[in-house]
Amino acid sequence: MGVLEIYGWAVAIIGAGFSAPQLLKVVRAKSVAGLSLVAWQLAVGCSIAWVTHAVLAASANIAINSLLIGLCNAAILFFIKSKRSLGIMRVMLVSLALSSILIAVDVLLGPLAFGLAVMIPQSVSLLAMIYSIVAEHSLRGVSPGYLIFGSLIQSAWLGWAVMA
C-alpha cells in the first residue's frame, strides 16, 4: 500500500464523520432552523452519485466514505422533511434527478467530467447553506463543528484528488 492509498484511506475514515456533527445537532436541538432544504437535497444527490462513481471506479475508500456521509445527509434531509411537513416526492425529486444526471455524466463522459460536474451542485449547496445561515432568524439547527470539519475534510479530499 503506497503513501497515496494510505492518505486516501485516512481521509475516507476521518471524513466519514463529515455530516455527523450536523446530524447530532439536529437531533439534540430538535430543530432544523438555519438549514437549507436545497443544500441537503443537493448533498443527498451528490452522495448517491459519489457512491455510484466509487463503485464504477472500484474505489473502496470513496465508496465507504460517500455511503456513510450519504446516510447522515439523508437523515438530515428527512429531519427537514419532517419538521417542515413536506411531502416525500417534493423532498426526494431533486436528489434523485441530480444523482441520475451526475451518474450519466460519469458513465458517458468519464471520471474527469464527473469530477467537474459534481463540483457545480456541491458549490450551489454551499451557497444555499450560507444563504440560509445569513437569512435565518434562528441558527438553532446549525452545527459550527460541521461547517469547520466540512471545510477541512473537503480540502483534504482536494489534496488527494490532485495527487491521484
Side-chain angles (χ1 to χ4, degrees), residues 78-135:
F78 279 95
F79 268 100
I80 293 171
K81 176 204 164 305
S82 175
K83 292 291 184 183
R84 296 182 185 165
S85 301
L86 302 171
I88 188 73
M89 285 306 293
R90 175 160 190 261
V91 171
M92 289 307 298
L93 192 58
V94 171
S95 300
L96 296 175
L98 173 62
S99 62
S100 298
I101 292 167
L102 291 172
I103 292 165
V105 167
D106 196 12
V107 170
L108 298 173
L109 302 176
L112 178 59
F114 171 79
L116 293 172
V118 79
M119 287 175 24
I120 297 167
Q122 288 176 325
S123 298
V124 171
S125 176
L126 177 62
L127 292 173
M129 191 65 181
I130 291 168
Y131 176 79
S132 286
I133 289 170
V134 171

Side-chain angles (χ1 to χ4, degrees), residues 18-19 22 36-51 65-78 80 91-92 94-96 98-99 102 114 118-129 146 154:
F18 170 49
S19 295
Q22 183 58 63
S36 165
L37 171 64
V38 171
W40 291 100
Q41 288 172 313
L42 296 175
V44 169
C46 287
S47 294
I48 294 167
W50 271 114
V51 170
N65 174 273
S66 299
L67 180 61
L68 293 173
I69 290 172
L71 291 172
C72 282
N73 290 347
I76 293 164
L77 184 58
F78 279 95
I80 293 171
V91 171
M92 289 307 298
V94 171
S95 300
L96 296 175
L98 173 62
S99 62
L102 291 172
F114 171 79
V118 79
M119 287 175 24
I120 297 167
Q122 288 176 325
S123 298
V124 171
S125 176
L126 177 62
L127 292 173
M129 191 65 181
Y146 163 76
Q154 292 300 333

Side-chain angles (χ1 to χ4, degrees), residues 43-62:
V44 169
C46 287
S47 294
I48 294 167
W50 271 114
V51 170
T52 305
H53 168 76
V55 169
L56 292 172
S59 180
N61 63 333
I62 296 173

